[in-house]
Amino acid sequence: MPTELTHESTLRELATDQGVLRYHEAGDGPPLLMLHGSGPGVTGWRNFRGNLARFAEHFRCLVLEFPGFGVSDPTDEHPMAAASGAVVRFLDGLGLEQVDVIGNSMGGIVGTQTALAHPERVRRLVTIGGIGRNIFSPGPGEGIKLLMEFTDDPTREGLIRWLHSMVFNPKVVTEELIEERWQQATDPDTLAAARRMYSTAAMTANFKAQARSPEPPYWAMLHKLRAETLITWGRDDRVSPVDMALIPMRTIPNVQVNIFPNCGHWVMIEQKAAWESAVLAFLTRKDQA
């Protein structure tokens, strides 16, 4: 297969009863579902385009675009709620009974929630930052506060401040990255969906709702997770500080943790080669007898 996979050559569409889900597909082999994070201008393609060729050598890679981020058709639901439903609709639509999952940040939470609700459908789970909850560090973290500021008042300068909080190496934040994120983040529909998640008003309401809810948060249910799990994290993450990994590390029954140095929130980008090697070793390991 070609080592250079383009946006156009990999883009696919799946019609569902709640609109079209768009995704990128590459490679042959066991199905590997890749779930993107949140934030201004995010897409699944932008999260995983640099990793796709390597994983496509071993898997049928499926990079799902969540509703509410400007690629798949939006729904009336909160984007976080829509994402979990979209995963199940996507798997059903493609006739996939079981997959491995890689989830970045919000995608890791969605993947974890899917594995908890439908344990038979997720064999192995890889998360990139994001899951768990702060233990020693204050919350929300620096990157989330900058995300809220941008969502309330979307300026190019605010976007650049947020992008720099996502990485350890500032050279990752190129003019090309800034421009493509700016174009996507300021699309009216995408910005409206972002404000349902990350505006100050939405975040405040969400914190209050969580405090009143009789339902336990997903991180309190991790002891029920049956999927073999690999947690990957950047040591220098300023969005979801690495102490968030402590509860998942202690409570998920079958879990290992890889922490990468000199690395922020985007481990799959900043520590690309090391991260890919660790994840492929985990996903391709033979099942223990």
Side-chain angles (χ1 to χ4, degrees):
M1 62 171 292
T3 55
E4 188 67 30
L5 300 169
T6 68
H7 181 277
E8 291 72 21
S9 70
T10 58
L11 185 61
R12 309 282 187 269
E13 291 190 350
L14 174 68
T16 78
D17 58 359
Q18 295 184 52
V20 173
L21 291 173
R22 295 178 177 86
Y23 64 102
H24 293 268
E25 180 173 2
D28 296 302
L32 173 62
L33 179 62
M34 306 175 85
L35 304 177
H36 66 78
S38 60
V42 71
T43 68
W45 175 256
R46 288 171 189 160
N47 266 186
F48 295 113
R49 60 188 169 191
N51 313 113
L52 203 52
R54 180 88 185 273
F55 283 94
E57 295 173 4
H58 303 271
F59 297 95
R60 177 191 178 191
C61 298
L62 302 162
V63 183
L64 175 62
E65 300 288 358
F66 289 135
F69 292 86
V71 181
S72 287
D73 288 355
T75 70
D76 294 332
E77 294 180 286
H78 184 283
M80 190 75 187
S84 294
V87 168
V88 176
R89 284 189 289 125
F90 184 68
L91 296 182
D92 288 347
L94 292 183
L96 298 172
E97 295 183 1
Q98 188 179 64
V99 294
D100 290 338
V101 176
I102 296 176
N104 172 48
S105 195
M106 171 188 148
I109 296 174
V110 174
T112 300
Q113 291 173 327
T114 302
L116 285 168
H118 307 278
E120 73 286 353
R121 306 202 76 163
V122 179
R123 186 188 72 116
R124 287 180 180 162
L125 171 67
V126 179
T127 64
I128 307 166
I131 71 166
R133 68 156 300 157
N134 303 48
I135 299 297
F136 302 117
S137 55
E142 175 192 353
I144 299 297
K145 289 180 179 178
L146 290 171
L147 174 55
M148 293 164 63
E149 289 178 11
F150 174 83
T151 306
D152 287 342
D153 180 21
T155 66
R156 196 178 185 89
E157 293 73 22
L159 176 67
I160 293 169
R161 284 194 297 272
W162 173 76
L163 285 169
H164 277 280
S165 77
M166 299 290 284
V167 299
F168 175 81
N169 182 359
K171 292 181 180 179
V172 174
V173 182
T174 62
E175 284 300 319
E176 180 184 9
L177 175 63
I178 294 166
E179 182 59 28
E180 68 177 12
R181 288 284 184 141
W182 174 252
Q183 292 297 326
Q184 184 87 8
T186 53
D187 171 80
D189 291 339
T190 306
L191 184 58
R195 284 177 169 154
R196 294 171 68 185
M197 288 186 70
Y198 286 120
S199 67
T200 299
M203 291 288 283
T204 301
N206 185 46
F207 290 143
K208 289 180 178 178
Q210 288 179 15
R212 293 192 304 265
S213 175
E215 297 297 321
Y218 79 92
W219 53 260
M221 304 302 292
L222 294 176
H223 61 286
K224 293 182 176 291
L225 191 62
R226 282 171 36 190
E228 292 182 63
T229 304
L230 171 64
I231 294 171
T232 65
W233 221 290
R235 184 184 64 190
D236 309 286
D237 192 331
R238 290 183 282 155
V239 178
S240 48
V242 73
D243 61 276
M244 288 180 66
L246 291 173
I247 287 178
M249 179 180 68
R250 181 70 270 175
T251 55
I252 295 174
N254 192 345
V255 64
Q256 63 188 74
V257 181
N258 282 35
I259 297 175
F260 296 81
N262 305 321
C263 185
H265 194 59
W266 289 334
V267 188
M268 69 289 188
I269 294 172
E270 284 204 273
Q271 289 284 0
K272 175 179 166 0
W275 179 83
E276 289 173 348
S277 294
V279 173
L280 281 169
F282 171 75
L283 292 178
T284 60
R285 186 181 65 214
K286 299 297 182 184
D287 289 319
Q288 296 177 353

